C-alpha cells in the first residue's frame, strides 16, 4: 500500500494550519492505488501551497502532493503547445523555455505555482484585461476522476467537466497533465512605464488613458487617506524586443540569476504595526519616479520571489490576503474607494495593495475574474476582530456586485459565497456527476458547501 | 556524442541526477525493471535538453543476463562514457532479521548485482582506457547500527568494492566515484523518515552527484554535512557505541 505522511499543512498565509495525511506519488499507478484504496474519507490535491487559505487543505483526511509529478511530456515549436504533468512549476517552465524564446502566456505574481494549481484556481496575471486567465491558453487536460477513470477534457469533449475544473479548486478530480500554449518572446525583458498617481481618480484616469499596454498593475498605499486615498504607482509594460536592448546585454533571453534573500524565521508579531508599515509605504512610494525603464522579467512579474519565505514576515499567527473584484458596470471606483476608506479607518494596516483591471468572465463555473477592477491586499492576523471585519468587507463587495477570490480566501461564509458565485449550483451538478461519493473534498469545499 | 548508462533511472535520486547532468550534452540509456515507467522521464529529459534517450529493461537480479545486457548497450551507442548505478533496495530491518529472503534481496540488489555489473563495466572501461563508474552507496555503510545494519552492511560491501575498483582502474584513466547520501526525501524513505533538516531534497543530492562526476571527485558525501556527522560517528568507540540508540 502506498504510504502517507501525517503533516501539518497551511497555505501561503500560514492560516489556517491543519493536519492531513499527505501522499506524494511519483507515478500514475501509485496515484490510482491511492484513489481506489480509499484509505481516507476524501482527498485533495496540493501543489505548492501558494494559495493563501484552506483551498488545498483537507483536515484529518487525504492530501495528494503533486510535486513529484513534474515531467515535461511534449513541446511543439510550431504551435507553441506544451504538454506537461500537473506538478511542473511555472518557475521550471520559465527556466527551460525562456532561453529558447518562449514565455508563459499568463503568470501570477509568483512563479512558485504548479500547472495544476494554475488551472484549479484559473489564475490571472497583469494582462487579464487583454488576454484573460491562464486557462484561456489551456487546450486540454487529463483528469483522474473518483472512479479511477482518466478523462481528457477540452472545450468540446466533456466540456461541462472542463468548465467545472477550470477554477474548480481540485474538487472534480486530480489534473494529471495539461496542454497549453506558450508565447514567443524575443527577450527576457519588459519595457516598463512607471507613473505615480496621487489619488484614486488619477490612477483610474491613467489606467484608462493609454490602455494598450499588455501588462498593467498599480500598487496602492493603503494607509493614504483623505485627498490622497488611492495614492499609487502604476507599472505597465510590454515584452521588450531585441532592438530595445542596450548592446551591453549579450544574451537577450537569459533569465537573470538573482541573489535570493531568505526569511529565516517567523517575525515577532509586533514587528509590523501601523507605524512601521506606514514608514515602509512612504519609502516605497518615494523610490519611484515617472520614467520608462527596461526591467528583467522576474523583477517585473515576480518581485516577491526574490525573498524566499517572505510570508514569515507576518509572524506565527499568519495573515490573510483579501482579493475582490468590482465589476465594471457597477461603479467600481466608488466600491474601491469605500473599501480603501474602511481599511484605512480600521487601521488594519497593510503593505501595498495591488490594483489590476480584469476582462470578461470566461465561463469557468468557479472562476474568479469578471470584467472590472480587482484589489488584493495582505492583512496580518492579530486579533479575532479581523474576521467580523472581513465579513463587513464581503458585504461591501456584494453591494457592488463583486466577488472574493477563492485562491486567497480562508473564511468566507457560505451565503456570501453563493451570492458571489451564482453558478455554484451548476458546479454542484457536475460535481454530482463526476464525483457522487465526494471522494475529492477539501476544507474549503466543505466550508462553502461544495463538497462533503 | 558520448552516452551514459543509468541503471535504476526510476529512482528519485537518479531522476534528479540525470536532470542535472543533461547540460553536459550526453545521450542517456535509462533502465528500469518496468521500462514503461520511464516514458515520462524520457520525454522530460528530451524536452529539457534535446538529447537522445533510450529506455531499456534491466533487472539487477538477473545476474546471468548482465553480460549480454551490457554488450547490447555498448553496441547501441557510439561511445559509452560512463555508468551510473543508482538502484537499491532498503527493506525493513526487523523483517530482514527474521526472514532471510528479505535480507538476501538487499544483499543481492545492493551488493551482489553491483559486483556482477560493475565487473563487466570495469573490464570494458579499463580496456578502453577511459570512462567513469559512479555508484550510490550510503552513509549507512560507514557504521553498523541496530536500526539498519543489514542494509548498511550491503552498502559497506559496495563502498569497499568501489574503493578497490578505484585503486585498480586509476592507472587505466578510469574514474570511480562513490556517492554517500545521508537521508534523502525519496520514495524509499517516504513515510518512514520524518521531514526535517536532516532529510535532504533529492535535487540537492542530484546536483552534488553531477558536480562530483564533473569534478572527478572520489567520494562524495551529500549533503556535505554528512562528512562531518559520519566523521564523528566513526570516532565513537565500540564500547560506547554499542549502548546507543542511533
Ligand atoms: C506571492 C503570490 C502572488 C500571487 N499572485 C497571484 C496573481 O497575480 N494572480 C492569481 O490568480 N493568483 C495569484 N496567487 C495565487 C496563486 O497563483 C494560486 O493560489 C495558485 O493556485 C497556487 O498554485 P499552487 O500550485 O501552489 O496550488 P495550491 O495552492 O497547492 O492549490 C491550489 C488549488 O489547486 C488545486 N490543485 C493543485 N494541483 C492540482 C491538480 N493537479 N489537480 C487538481 N487540483 C489541483 C488544489 O486542490 C487547490 O484547490 C499568488 C500567490 C502568491 C503566494
Ligand atoms: N533515499 C535515501 O535516503 C538514500 C540514502 C542513502 C542511499 N540511498 C541509495 O540511493 C539509491 C537510490 O535510492 P532512492 O532513494 O532514489 O530510491 P527509490 O526512489 O526507492 O528507487 C530505488 C530504485 O531501485 C530500483 N530497484 C529495486 N530493485 C531492483 C532490482 N532488482 N533491479 C533493478 N532495479 C531495482 C527500482 O527501480 P525499478 O522499480 O524501476 O526497477 C527503484 O526505482 C539506492 O541505492 C539507495 O540505497 C538512498
Amino acid at each position: 500500500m502506498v504510504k502517507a505522511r501525517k503533516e501539518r499543512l497551511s497555505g501561503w498565509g500560514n492560516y489556517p494550519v491543519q493536519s492531513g495525511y499527505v501522499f506524494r506519488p511519483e507515478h500514475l499507478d501509485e496515484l490510482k492505488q491511492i484513489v481506489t484504496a480509499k484509505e481516507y474519507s476524501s482527498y485533495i490535491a496540493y501543489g505548492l501551497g501558494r494559495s493563501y487559505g484552506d483551498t488545498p487543505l483537507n483536515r484529518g483526511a487525504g492530501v495528494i502532493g503533486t510535486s513529484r509529478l513534474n515531467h515535461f511530456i511534449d513541446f511543439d515549436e510550431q504551435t507553441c503547445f506544451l504538454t506537461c504533468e500537473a506538478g511542473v512549476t511555472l518557475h521550471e517552465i520559465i527556466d527551460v523555455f525562456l532561453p529558447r524564446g518562449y514565455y508563459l502566456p499568463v503568470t501570477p505574481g509568483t512563479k512558485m505555482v504548479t500547472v495544476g494549481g494554475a488551472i484549479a484556481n484559473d489564475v490571472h496575471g497583469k494582462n487579464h484585461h487583454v488576454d484573460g486567465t491562464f486557462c484561456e491558453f489551456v487546450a486540454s487536460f487529463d483528469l483522474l476522476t473518483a472512479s479511477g477513470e482518466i478523462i481528457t477534457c477540452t472545450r468540446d469533449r466533456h466540456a461541462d467537466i472542463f468548465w467545472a475544473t477550470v477554477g474548480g479548486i481540485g474538487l472534480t478530480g486530480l489534473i494529471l497533465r495539461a496542454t497549453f500554449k506558450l508565447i514567443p518572446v524575443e527577450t527576457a525583458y519588459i519595457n516598463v512605464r512607471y507613473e505615480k498617481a496621487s489619488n484614486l481618480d488619477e490612477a483610474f484616469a491613467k489606467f484608462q488613458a493609454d490602455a494598450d499596454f499588455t501588462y498593467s498593475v498599480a500598487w496602492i498605499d493603503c494607509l493614504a487617506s483623505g485627498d490622497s486615498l488611492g495614492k499609487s504607482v502604476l507599472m505597465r509594460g510590454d515584452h521588450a524586443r531585441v532592438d530595445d536592448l542596450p548592446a551591453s546585454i549579450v544574451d537577450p533571453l537569459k533569465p537573470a540569476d538573482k541573489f535570493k534573500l531568505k526569511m529565516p524565521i517567523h517575525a515577532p508579531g509586533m514587528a509590523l504595526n501601523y507605524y512601521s508599515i506606514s514608514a515602509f509605504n512612504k519609502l516605497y512610494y518615494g523610490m519611484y519616479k515617472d520614467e520608462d525603464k527596461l526591467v528583467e522579467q522576474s523583477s517585473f512579474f515576480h518581485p516577491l520571489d526574490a525573498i524566499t519565505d517572505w510570508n514569515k514576515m507576518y509572524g506565527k499567527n499568519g495573515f490573510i490576503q483579501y482579493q475582490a473584484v468590482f465589476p465594471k458596470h457597477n461603479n467600481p471606483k466608488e466600491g474601491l474607494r469605500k473599501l480603501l476608506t474602511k481599511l484605512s479607518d480600521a487601521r488594519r494596516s497593510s503593505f501595498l495593495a495591488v490594483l489590476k483591471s480584469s476582462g470578461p468572465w470566461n465561463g469557468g463555473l468557479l472562476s474568479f475574474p469578471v470584467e472590472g477592477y480587482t484589489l488584493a491586499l495582505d492583512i496580518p492576523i492579530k486579533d479575532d476582530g479581523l474576521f467580523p471585519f472581513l465579513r463587513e468587507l464581503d458585504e461591501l463587495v456584494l453591494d457592488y456586485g463583486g466577488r472574493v477570490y477563492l485562491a486567497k480566501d480562508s473564511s468566507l461564509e457560505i451565503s456570501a459565497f453563493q451570492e458571489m458565485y451564482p453558478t455554484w449550483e451548476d458546479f454542484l451538478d457536475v460535481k454530482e456527476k463526476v464525483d457522487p461519493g465526494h471522494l475529492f473534498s477539501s476544507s474549503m469545499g466543505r466550508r462553502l458547501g461544495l463538497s462533503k | 556524442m558520448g552516452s551514459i548508462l543509468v541503471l535504476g533511472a526510476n529512482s528519485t535520486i537518479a531522476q534528479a541526477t540525470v536532470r542535472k547532468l543533461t547540460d553536459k550534452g550526453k545521450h542517456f540509456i535509462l533502465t528500469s525493471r518496468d521500462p514503461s515507467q520511464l516514458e515520462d522521464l524520457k520525454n522530460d529529459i528530451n524536452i529539457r535538453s534535446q538529447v537522445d534517450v533510450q529506455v531499456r529493461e534491466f533487472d539487477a537480479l538477473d545476474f546471468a543476463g548482465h553480460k549480454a545486457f551490457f554488450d547490447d548497450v555498448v553496441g547501441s551507442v557510439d561511445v559509452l562514457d560512463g555508468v551510473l548505478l543508482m538502484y537499491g533496495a532498503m527493506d525493513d530491518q526487523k523483517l530482514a532479521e527474521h526472514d532471510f529472503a528479505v535480507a538476501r534481496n538487499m544483499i543481492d540488489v545492493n551488493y551482489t548485482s553491483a559486483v556482477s555489473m560493475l565487473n563487466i563495466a570495469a573490464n570494458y572501461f579499463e580496456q578502453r582506457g577511459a570512462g567513469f563508474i559512479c555508484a550510490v552507496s550510503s552513509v549507512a555503510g560507514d557504521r553498523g547500527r541496530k536500526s539498519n545494519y543489514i542494509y548498511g552492511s550491503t552498502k559497506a560491501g559496495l563502498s569497499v568494492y568501489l574503493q578497490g575498483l578505484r585503486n585498480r582502474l586509476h592507472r587505466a584513466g578510469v574514474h570511480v566515484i562513490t556517492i554517500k547520501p545521508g537521508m534523502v526525501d525519496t520514495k524509499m524513505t517516504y513515510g518512514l523518515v520524518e521531514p526535517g533538516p536532516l532529510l535532504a531534497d533529492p535535487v540537492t543530492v542530484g546536483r552534488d552527484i553531477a558536480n562530483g562526476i564533473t569534478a572527478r571527485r572520489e567520494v562524495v558525501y551529500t549533503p556535505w554535512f554528512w562528512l562531518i556527522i559520519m566523521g564523528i560517528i566513526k570516532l565513537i568507540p565500540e564500547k560506547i557505541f554499542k549502548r546507543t540508540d542511533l
Side-chain angles (χ1 to χ4, degrees), chain A residues 308-321:
Chain A
T308 308
D309 296 343
W310 62 262
N311 54 344
K312 289 185 182 161
M313 185 174 66
Y314 287 103
K316 271 213 162 65
N317 290 344
F319 66 110
I320 62 108
Q321 182 166 95

Side-chain angles (χ1 to χ4, degrees), chain B residues 3-4 11 47 49 57 60 106 124 131 134 154 199 211-212 230 245:
Chain B
S3 297
I4 299 175
S11 97
I47 288 168
S49 56
E57 185 174 333
M106 287 194 273
Y124 168 81
C134 171
T154 67
L199 188 63
N211 289 345
M230 294 320 293
D245 271 321

Side-chain angles (χ1 to χ4, degrees), chain A residues 10-13 43-57 64 66 69 85-90 106-126 142-143 165 167-177 301 304-305 310-311 319 321 323 354 356 368-369 405-408 440 442 444:
Chain A
S10 66
W12 191 243
Y43 300 89
I44 194 70
Y46 189 98
L48 279 170
R50 254 42 175 210
S51 35
Y52 283 73
D54 54 359
T55 326
L57 306 185
I64 301 177
T66 61
L69 301 169
E85 286 187 291
V88 168
T89 67
L90 301 190
V106 167
T107 174
T110 172
K111 55 182 183 291
M112 302 310 292
V113 162
T114 64
V115 167
I119 296 174
N121 271 322
D122 196 14
V123 301
H124 59 272
K126 298 175 171 50
D142 286 356
L143 188 73
T165 304
I169 54 172
L171 296 177
T172 55
L174 203 124
I175 301 161
L176 297 173
R177 46 176 67 183
F301 289 115
L304 288 166
D305 288 353
W310 62 262
N311 54 344
F319 66 110
Q321 182 166 95
Q323 181 170 4
V354 180
K356 289 181 284 206
F368 163 70
Y405 189 8
L406 298 184
K408 312 289 177 79
F440 291 96
S442 64
M444 172 177 270

